Amino acid sequence: MSNSTPAASITSHPTIKRRLISMVYESLLALAVLFLPFLLFELAVQGAHTPLTEHMRQCLAFLVMGAYFIHQWSREGQTLAMKTWRLKVVLPGHAHVPLRVAAYRYVLSWMWLLPALVAAYAFDLQHWTALGAIGVGILAWSSTALFTGNGQFLHDKLAGTQILQLPAPAKKSKKVAA
């Protein structure tokens, strides 16, 4: 398990902007990942909106997204959005990110949202002010890349993982017909 990613396949660490744009795309894909589990859940609870069912929806989202991200990071080091943006999560010195590390990274990645969600709840923020708090939380967490020493976000620094920028695929040459 001490095989690391070949240096020739890595061009650099991605910019913060590139990682944030990838996360926007990731958010859109998350809706697709959540669609079927939420459809089944809504059928099971008949669309109820009690406090219990709201908490169950949140738990379902956390668990389904966790299964998706942990599986993808530990299997290939990439989600679909990361493949599109040529990003890869690695654990230096390992061929793949171990499940335990991927799970730890997933829990830590909730720090993008958790402080803002707690603040929104504590101060009873509604609608646009709650969304604004989430935006501020995302910007604050993004800024951690400026202080980690290697440009990685704090959750990657704590998990020991890194996001790498993969090179663009080689362009296929056109064969000239004789």
Side-chain angles (χ1 to χ4, degrees):
M1 278 209 303
S2 62
N3 298 344
S4 59
T5 305
S9 67
I10 301 163
T11 58
S12 65
H13 292 289
T15 63
I16 295 172
K17 178 181 174 183
R18 185 174 193 87
R19 287 180 278 172
L20 291 176
I21 291 170
S22 173
M23 288 172 53
V24 170
Y25 184 38
E26 196 77 74
S27 299
L28 296 174
L29 294 175
L31 295 175
V33 170
L34 291 171
F35 179 77
L36 183 59
F38 268 67
L39 176 64
L40 295 174
F41 178 81
E42 292 305 319
L43 290 172
V45 299
Q46 299 175 352
H49 288 281
T50 65
L52 175 62
T53 57
E54 293 301 324
H55 291 302
M56 290 171 66
R57 281 183 187 88
Q58 292 166 357
C59 288
L60 179 63
F62 178 80
L63 294 172
V64 169
M65 296 309 302
Y68 169 72
F69 283 111
I70 293 164
H71 172 72
Q72 292 302 114
W73 293 335
S74 63
R75 185 172 149 250
E76 298 179 11
Q78 296 176 290
T79 60
L80 181 58
M82 294 172 81
K83 286 179 186 178
T84 302
W85 287 91
R86 298 186 327 271
L87 302 176
K88 186 173 186 173
V89 63
V90 298
L91 181 63
H94 292 77
H96 298 284
V97 176
L99 278 172
R100 173 183 80 261
V101 175
Y104 183 54
R105 183 179 191 270
Y106 175 71
V107 170
L108 289 173
S109 70
W110 276 91
M111 294 308 293
W112 283 94
L113 298 173
L114 192 58
L117 294 173
V118 169
Y121 180 76
F123 296 110
D124 197 29
L125 302 179
Q126 301 293 317
H127 308 292
W128 291 109
T129 52
L131 191 57
I134 290 170
V136 168
I138 288 171
L139 288 175
W141 196 261
S142 298
S143 70
T144 65
L146 303 172
F147 306 106
T148 58
N150 62 356
Q152 299 294 315
F153 294 126
L154 186 56
H155 63 279
D156 279 310
K157 182 81 168 181
L158 294 172
T161 55
Q162 294 180 3
I163 296 288
L164 301 176
Q165 176 69 57
L166 301 176
K171 294 187 179 196
K172 296 179 182 178
S173 62
K174 294 180 181 177
K175 293 187 179 187
V176 180

